[in-house]
Amino acid sequence: MELFQAKDHYILQQGERALWCSRRDGGLQLRPATDLLLAWNPICLGLVEGVIGKIQLHSDLPWWLILIRQKALVGKLPGDHEVCKVTKIAVLSLSEMEPQDLELELCKKHHFGINKPEKIIPSPDDSKFLLKTFTHIKSNVSAPNKKKVKESKEKEKLERRLLEELLKMFMDSESFYYSLTYDLTNSVQRQSAGADPRPLWQKVDDRFFWNKYMIQDLTEIGTRDVDFWIIPIIQGFVQIEELVVNYNESSDDEKSSPETPPQESTCVDDIHPRFLVALISRRSRHRAGMRYKRRGVDKNGNVANYVETEQLIHVHNHTLSFIQTRGSVPVFWSQVGYRYNPRPRLDRSEKDTVAYFCAHFEEQLKIYKKQVIINLVDQAGREKIIGDAYLKQVLLFNNSHLTYVSFDFHEHCRGMKFENVQTLTDAIHDIILDMKWCWVDQAGVICKQEGIFRVNCMDCLDRTNVVQAAIARVVMEQQLKKLGVMPPEQPLPVKCNRIYQIMWANNGDSISRQYAGTAALKGDFTRTGERKLAGVMKDGVNSANRYYLNRFKDAYRQAVIDLMQGIPVTEDLYSIFTKEKEHEALHKENQRSHQELISQLLQSYMKLLLPDNEKFHGGWALIDCDPSLIDATHRDVDVLLLLSNSAYYVAYYDDEVDKVNQYQRLSLEDLEKIEIGPEPTLFGKPKFSCMRLHYRYKEASGYFHTLRAVVRNPEEDGKGRAVNLMKTSLASDLKTKALWPREKNF
């Protein structure tokens, strides 16, 4: 559709339809396309894909119109319904402010042979001067004073900061999806409940209609003409793939391996059956927000990070759907403070929580009939308080339609043994089969899903995603066997399984970016730990400060999310804006003294740990990325590596008490080899390079330490630059020991 700029309006036009957006009061009005002739000197700015809605970032400032500037086709769902992802947006101030360069696709009708649209010129006078004069008169009718000018500038700075966060939210995370013909907010089962003649936007599930408030001006018009302009948008994830059941074909990884033996064909179908698989995750707009800003339940029974995930299989004319949900533990709890991974705490008593816990599950049971809770939080340590509170509330609720299953993920999967998740799926296998799934064909509904799994960990991110993928895979294999696509005794083909894993890994990444601000590392086993430098530097200034800055960003993102949903912003953003600037300056200053602080700490422990007869050669502050340590404690392990002329020391630093609580001294004579390679990950490509020191213990080989450098983010690590620098330094100190010829990659 075409976007025009006129003196008093922005005008969206397609065919005979037009939407006029006032630049004076932000009002939206439907008018016939012929009314464009009545507009004052309309200029075509280019083409847009649709309207998301409008938002006001400050009550004293104008509204902003949000448009879909660019989309990407994700794929087609059964029925040839196209699903698109919002990749770029355009924002227009509904005021007399001149629009910035919107980078819109040019309209061939109005821009034939033109590379860039002309700017509208309201008068021969200087438009910038008029804009400044208008703003000055509007904000300050009386004589100007310094205080009001300062307040006006602060508002504008804050608006720019929030606008920047809005743009990042839509364009960096790529987590907003829509379809003009398919209801992405509703599952196949809910859509098959019966014919509904209403327009698409009136049939949506209110929980997942993310731009409902922003498009409210249009939904309140009440005429059928408005249907064309309303596009329901979800936040979440959508991926659609066509898979081929071919047992002759290996995965791409196996093809590249000369050790992979040729596999015999075990599938009698020479044409290789195909099926479509789609993954659709819908994030609730209720209690939406960032991880440390939104936890637990609210007074309406809504929980943070609530996501419904639907796995959809389509073969010929058969469509099969299976739903799971995730959501924060529905009690009042939080993690307060600016240190890394603050301790969780309960904010209300057991008695005060009961009513809101009940409200949450009564609503869930009304929608899904039955619930099977899969609680993955640790049954010991800092998470225990939340898990115990959850179980107590379930017992008090005492509902026969609610089943509670506890699975200590970190305990069962200690040492990167992810296959142990099968222990859980085997234990609940009968429940999975009894739950069934939704199955529809051209004639109608064949069967319905009876209940859902509600999976949670603390953040409802990595652990939750791994378990949901495992449950969904069991269901998918049963579905494909029922349809005759897979042989009864065969597992999913290797290549199909690989694509399937990637889809769920992508789903986990997307949900993590939306809730935590960063991509998941496909499991709680490969956390970067880049903010754990507080455990290495005694005063913790560097990492605490960096983490503090991230918490500032969360405050802005949370404010934007609240404004999108029409929720008043309660946090003092002006105070945060001021503090952010102060901490940015402090952060830069601390970065300059970072190496000096590290050096002081290493010198201190060198004196404490090394005997007088050993000469100190060097030291490093590192992360121990041995998976058996990481997944057991749900956090990365800070270490100090000290090197002397005859031994090296690995000292484990406890950030809870700010001191070394244990260390190992290993003779250089027992050091067998040093390897450089990628850090182990559950899915996808590794984020860091690491160094592995192999050593003998009591004359027995097979022991090692896996270490990596502390870097701000994976990109800074590049192709292992940090660890190679560390290797080079260590090599120079070990050259007299003739150990380096045994170095190799792993």
Side-chain angles (χ1 to χ4, degrees), residues 56 110 556:
Q56 190 175 30
H110 298 103
Y556 296 125

Side-chain angles (χ1 to χ4, degrees), residues 479-676:
Q479 291 171 334
L480 294 176
K481 288 172 183 177
K482 284 274 187 183
L483 292 168
V485 175
M486 274 177 59
E489 303 301 323
Q490 286 287 347
L492 199 63
V494 175
K495 190 170 184 179
C496 286
N497 183 57
R498 179 61 180 159
I499 295 172
Y500 176 79
Q501 282 184 315
I502 291 171
M503 289 178 71
W504 273 95
N506 292 340
N507 180 65
D509 270 351
S510 186
I511 293 173
S512 182
R513 275 192 294 267
Q514 293 156 30
Y515 188 50
T518 56
L521 295 181
K522 323 302 190 301
D524 273 15
F525 315 99
T526 53
R527 295 184 181 276
T528 64
E530 54 95 5
R531 289 173 245 167
K532 293 294 285 180
L533 199 53
V536 177
M537 300 193 314
K538 198 166 185 179
D539 56 4
V541 177
N542 196 36
S543 88
N545 208 38
R546 184 185 304 158
Y547 186 63
Y548 203 19
L549 290 174
N550 288 339
R551 297 293 290 272
F552 284 136
K553 293 175 183 177
D554 280 358
Y556 296 125
R557 177 66 60 90
Q558 185 64 56
V560 169
I561 292 171
D562 288 343
L563 291 167
M564 288 172 67
Q565 304 306 328
I567 300 170
V569 177
T570 56
E571 196 158 6
D572 185 359
L573 295 179
Y574 287 111
S575 173
I576 290 174
F577 189 78
T578 304
K579 288 180 181 177
E580 183 185 28
K581 297 301 179 184
E582 293 174 358
H583 277 267
E584 280 179 351
L586 182 61
H587 178 56
K588 289 177 182 177
E589 181 182 336
N590 288 329
Q591 278 187 317
R592 288 193 294 269
S593 60
H594 168 66
Q595 291 302 326
E596 182 181 339
L597 290 167
I598 288 288
S599 178
Q600 289 174 2
L601 187 63
L602 292 170
Q603 288 291 331
S604 297
Y605 279 98
M606 177 269 292
K607 293 175 182 177
L608 286 172
L609 299 179
L610 269 66
D612 294 337
N613 62 347
E614 289 186 20
K615 184 180 178 182
F616 180 60
H617 280 290
W620 299 266
L622 305 172
I623 297 294
D624 191 327
C625 47
D626 184 347
S628 65
L629 292 173
I630 298 169
D631 68 25
T633 60
H634 190 196
R635 57 178 185 163
D636 292 316
V637 181
D638 300 314
V639 298
L640 304 178
L641 177 63
L642 306 176
L643 179 66
S644 76
N645 60 326
S646 57
Y648 73 91
Y649 296 75
V650 179
Y652 293 88
Y653 199 96
D654 187 347
D655 69 323
E656 297 286 341
V657 293
D658 279 332
K659 67 179 182 181
V660 168
N661 56 13
Q662 59 177 310
Y663 74 95
Q664 288 179 275
R665 180 188 182 278
L666 297 150
S667 171
L668 292 182
E669 298 297 334
D670 291 327
L671 184 61
E672 295 183 313
K673 61 182 176 181
I674 301 174
E675 294 178 316
I676 302 297

Side-chain angles (χ1 to χ4, degrees), residues 260-494:
T260 305
Q263 297 182 356
E264 295 181 3
S265 173
T266 55
C267 182
V268 295
D269 193 341
D270 293 332
I271 61 172
H272 304 307
R274 298 171 180 268
F275 66 96
L276 181 113
V277 58
L279 206 55
I280 305 172
S281 281
R282 313 168 175 102
R283 173 180 294 280
S284 174
R285 65 185 184 88
H286 302 304
R287 197 156 176 72
M290 305 305 292
R291 172 168 46 177
Y292 290 111
K293 298 293 182 181
R294 292 291 182 270
R295 291 289 206 188
V297 72
D298 67 12
K299 294 180 180 179
N300 296 314
N302 300 309
V303 296
N305 200 22
Y306 183 89
V307 182
E308 179 188 81
T309 299
E310 179 179 21
Q311 181 175 279
L312 189 149
I313 305 293
H314 183 73
V315 182
H316 304 304
N317 295 319
H318 296 267
T319 302
L320 298 88
S321 157
F322 183 74
I323 294 172
Q324 301 179 77
T325 63
R326 68 179 76 192
S328 189
V329 174
V331 299
F332 290 96
W333 67 281
S334 59
Q335 285 178 282
V336 180
Y338 288 103
R339 65 168 295 170
Y340 178 81
N341 196 18
R343 284 187 176 276
R345 72 179 191 189
L346 294 174
D347 297 327
R348 291 201 186 185
S349 67
E350 180 182 294
K351 183 179 178 182
D352 291 341
T353 302
V354 170
Y356 308 103
F357 182 92
C358 291
H360 173 71
F361 275 107
E362 283 170 359
E363 177 69 15
Q364 293 298 295
L365 293 175
K366 181 181 177 182
I367 298 170
Y368 301 109
K369 310 307 179 188
K370 295 179 183 178
Q371 293 260 305
V372 178
I373 296 169
I374 308 290
N375 184 17
L376 305 175
V377 303
D378 295 349
Q379 295 174 18
R382 63 173 62 202
E383 296 183 2
K384 187 177 187 297
I385 186 175
I386 304 301
D388 289 349
Y390 198 178
L391 178 57
K392 287 177 183 177
Q393 291 295 328
V394 170
L395 295 173
L396 290 170
F397 188 56
N398 192 26
N399 190 302
S400 60
H401 296 297
L402 197 65
T403 303
Y404 180 88
V405 177
S406 181
F407 183 79
D408 190 330
F409 188 96
H410 288 134
E411 181 62 30
H412 284 87
C413 299
R414 184 189 295 266
M416 296 285 282
K417 294 180 179 176
F418 311 115
E419 66 274 11
N420 289 351
V421 171
Q422 188 174 343
T423 305
L424 172 63
T425 55
D426 288 345
I428 62 173
H429 192 262
D430 290 342
I431 299 176
I432 297 174
L433 296 182
D434 290 342
M435 192 173 286
K436 303 184 179 70
W437 51 79
C438 177
W439 184 350
V440 298
D441 64 7
Q442 289 178 321
V445 179
I446 297 173
C447 72
K448 293 184 178 181
Q449 184 175 338
E450 299 176 1
I452 60 162
F453 289 101
R454 184 199 192 277
V455 187
N456 73 274
C457 49
M458 289 297 282
D459 297 332
C460 301
L461 296 176
D462 301 333
R463 286 174 281 179
T464 295
N465 204 64
V466 169
V467 169
Q468 285 194 336
I471 294 172
R473 176 176 169 167
V474 172
V475 172
M476 184 174 72
E477 289 185 348
Q478 290 291 326
Q479 291 171 334
L480 294 176
K481 288 172 183 177
K482 284 274 187 183
L483 292 168
V485 175
M486 274 177 59
E489 303 301 323
Q490 286 287 347
L492 199 63
V494 175

Side-chain angles (χ1 to χ4, degrees), residues 48-201:
V48 295
E49 300 293 341
V51 181
I52 294 174
K54 63 179 191 175
I55 189 171
Q56 190 175 30
L57 299 174
H58 193 285
S59 58
D60 295 335
L61 296 173
W63 288 84
W64 290 84
L65 181 67
I66 309 174
L67 305 172
I68 302 172
R69 173 159 66 97
Q70 195 174 94
K71 67 180 181 182
L73 179 65
V74 175
K76 293 184 179 181
L77 290 172
D80 212 32
H81 298 289
E82 291 187 348
V83 178
C84 297
K85 175 169 60 179
V86 178
T87 55
K88 291 181 181 178
I89 62 169
V91 289
L92 293 165
S93 176
L94 295 179
S95 67
E96 294 194 1
M97 181 189 301
E98 279 294 301
Q100 301 298 314
D101 187 1
L102 301 175
E103 298 180 359
L104 300 181
E105 180 184 346
L106 298 184
C107 168
K108 293 179 181 178
K109 182 166 63 176
H110 298 103
H111 300 123
F112 183 76
I114 301 174
N115 293 325
K116 211 168 187 179
E118 297 177 4
K119 291 278 186 180
I120 185 171
I121 303 174
S123 72
D125 301 316
D126 185 352
S127 59
K128 291 185 178 179
F129 175 76
L130 287 176
L131 175 61
K132 288 180 180 178
T133 304
F134 173 77
T135 306
H136 182 68
I137 293 171
K138 183 180 177 182
S139 62
N140 189 8
V141 178
S142 61
N145 58 69
K146 290 184 179 180
K147 185 177 179 181
K148 288 191 175 181
V149 170
K150 183 180 179 182
E151 287 177 356
S152 178
K153 286 183 178 179
E154 284 181 348
K155 287 178 185 177
E156 290 172 3
K157 285 181 181 178
L158 180 58
E159 184 186 44
R160 282 198 298 270
R161 184 66 181 83
L162 292 174
L163 188 62
E164 177 186 327
E165 201 61 44
L166 176 71
L167 291 167
K168 286 181 180 178
M169 186 173 172
F170 273 92
M171 298 199 289
D172 289 356
S173 65
E174 294 191 346
S175 59
F176 292 92
Y177 298 82
Y178 70 94
S179 173
L180 299 177
T181 58
Y182 186 86
D183 184 2
L184 288 175
T185 69
N186 274 305
S187 64
V188 170
Q189 183 158 315
R190 292 197 292 271
Q191 292 186 53
S192 62
D196 190 340
R198 293 179 299 168
L200 183 64
W201 68 270

